[in-house]
């Protein structure tokens, strides 16, 4: 077997059944991919953060952190394609998995050929989506609901009216808008806006969200755009 190419896409395989994980790994390496494996949810999250894989293959039934929780967490941090492995009779799992942000699923037992072709299709789709977002950034502005942001000029508009935002408010809103419709975890938002070593009060995030709501929601007490996802974080809707 030849050494995988340095530039080969990295696949993170999260599967606690050893022989199945090995078989998937063997088939992907043979196709030229670089493979990283994890047998439980916690290890998988560590590997994900350390390796920044191009795609994740995720078994839903895992020890420690459940596949669904892991999927939700990864999705809040990244747009990486996620292909779930689900049991034959668990329609509910498939629906739940897609709801928390998985892109596709394969039902056990599956053929390696089928899995490899799903991986290839998801990587192609992700590549095209990335090309699209680069174009959007060149155009400059981000928008959602009543808000338009021009990060290049540091200008914000609500309903077309120039609105002043503090630098932190601006950064927070930019993150929410750039991942519109996605759940962003509290941890992710704090790390991105205040830095990974922030040790202050995590209420700071809620205070900033509250101020943003006062500036852009018609009724800040009944927000329609910046929504709280209880116990997890926030998301922006049009
Ligand atoms: Ca399993």
């Amino acid at each position: 077997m030849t050494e995988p190419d340095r530039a080969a896409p990295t696949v993170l395989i999260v599967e606690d059944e050893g022989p199945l994980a090995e078989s998937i790994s063997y088939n992907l390496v043979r196709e030229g991919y670089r493979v990283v494996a994890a047998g439980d949810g916690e290890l998988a999250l560590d590997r994900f953060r350390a390796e920044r894989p191009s795609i994740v293959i995720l078994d839903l039934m895992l020890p420690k952190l459940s596949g669904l929780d892991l999927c939700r967490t990864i999705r809040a941090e990244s747009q990486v394609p996620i292909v779930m492995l689900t049991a034959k009779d668990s329609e509910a799992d498939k629906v739940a998995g897609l709801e928390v942000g998985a892109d596709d699923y394969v039902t056990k037992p599956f053929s390696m050929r089928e899995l490899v072709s799903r991986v290839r299709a998801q990587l192609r789709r992700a590549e095209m989506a990335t090309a699209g977002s680069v174009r959007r950034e060149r155009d400059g502005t981000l928008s959602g609901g009543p808000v338009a942001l021009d990060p290049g000029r540091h200008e914000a508009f609500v309903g077309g009216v120039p609105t002043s935002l503090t630098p932190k408010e601006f950064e927070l809103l930019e993150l929410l808008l750039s991942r519109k419709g996605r759940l962003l975890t509290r941890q992710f938002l704090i790390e991105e806006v205040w830095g990974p070593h922030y040790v202050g009060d995590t209420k700071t995030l809620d205070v900033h969200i509250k101020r943003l709501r006062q500036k852009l929601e018609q009724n800040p007490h009944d927000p329609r755009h910046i929504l709280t996802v209880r116990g997890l974080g926030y998301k922006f809707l049009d």
Side-chain angles (χ1 to χ4, degrees):
M1 204 181 300
T2 51
E3 270 288 295
D5 185 341
R6 269 284 182 215
T10 298
V11 183
L12 172 60
I13 301 171
V14 188
E15 169 60 77
D16 58 314
E17 290 166 51
L20 179 57
E22 274 167 33
S23 171
I24 295 171
S25 170
Y26 172 82
N27 281 275
L28 289 171
V29 168
R30 204 174 57 171
E31 294 290 320
Y33 296 105
R34 184 174 164 264
V35 166
V36 177
D40 71 61
E42 284 174 9
L43 182 60
L45 195 53
D46 288 346
R47 293 263 152 92
F48 171 77
R49 287 173 174 157
E51 300 279 344
R52 295 280 143 201
S54 302
I55 186 164
V56 179
I57 296 175
L58 175 61
D59 180 29
L60 283 192
M61 300 290 284
L62 287 174
K64 296 191 184 172
L65 190 58
S66 90
L68 284 179
D69 287 341
L70 180 59
C71 185
R72 200 181 281 122
T73 307
I74 290 177
R75 180 53 76 232
E77 295 179 11
S78 156
Q79 307 275 12
V80 68
I82 301 173
V83 177
M84 299 179 285
L85 307 180
T86 63
K88 197 170 167 225
D89 299 315
S90 57
E91 208 54 41
D93 272 2
K94 285 170 205 163
V95 173
L98 295 171
E99 273 177 0
V100 296
D103 298 282
D104 199 0
Y105 60 84
V106 247
T107 305
K108 291 180 178 180
F110 50 84
S111 76
M112 286 300 155
R113 207 154 128 202
E114 185 187 1
L115 181 62
V116 169
S117 98
R118 297 292 179 91
V119 165
R120 213 177 273 137
Q122 285 300 326
L123 284 171
R124 204 161 43 227
R125 193 191 55 77
E127 214 169 277
M128 288 167 68
T130 308
S133 72
V134 170
R135 267 199 302 282
R136 229 182 8 257
E137 278 182 16
R138 276 198 203 119
D139 154 56
T141 59
L142 282 168
S143 61
V147 185
L149 280 191
D150 186 338
R153 299 178 178 201
H154 222 269
E155 288 175 346
F157 301 88
V158 176
V161 179
T163 302
S164 113
L165 299 179
T166 67
K168 294 292 186 209
E169 287 169 1
F170 197 96
E171 266 183 74
L172 196 53
L173 190 54
E174 189 180 349
L175 275 175
L176 287 162
L177 281 177
S178 66
R179 291 165 177 79
K180 206 160 54 177
R182 300 267 201 209
L183 160 69
L184 301 182
T185 61
R186 301 179 56 83
Q187 189 196 347
F188 174 77
L189 290 169
I190 290 169
E191 285 189 11
E192 289 292 317
V193 177
W194 285 273
H197 306 295
Y198 179 74
V199 288
D201 192 346
T202 60
K203 284 265 184 290
T204 302
L205 173 62
D206 306 296
V207 170
H208 280 75
I209 291 282
K210 191 174 163 194
R211 287 204 207 115
L212 279 176
R213 282 175 174 156
Q214 282 161 354
K215 291 180 180 180
L216 64 92
E217 298 279 358
Q218 279 214 323
N219 178 359
H221 301 291
D222 181 21
R224 295 296 151 93
H225 303 293
I226 301 178
L227 302 190
T228 302
V229 182
R230 194 171 290 275
L232 293 172
Y234 295 98
K235 70 170 150 187
F236 192 100
L237 294 182
D238 271 323

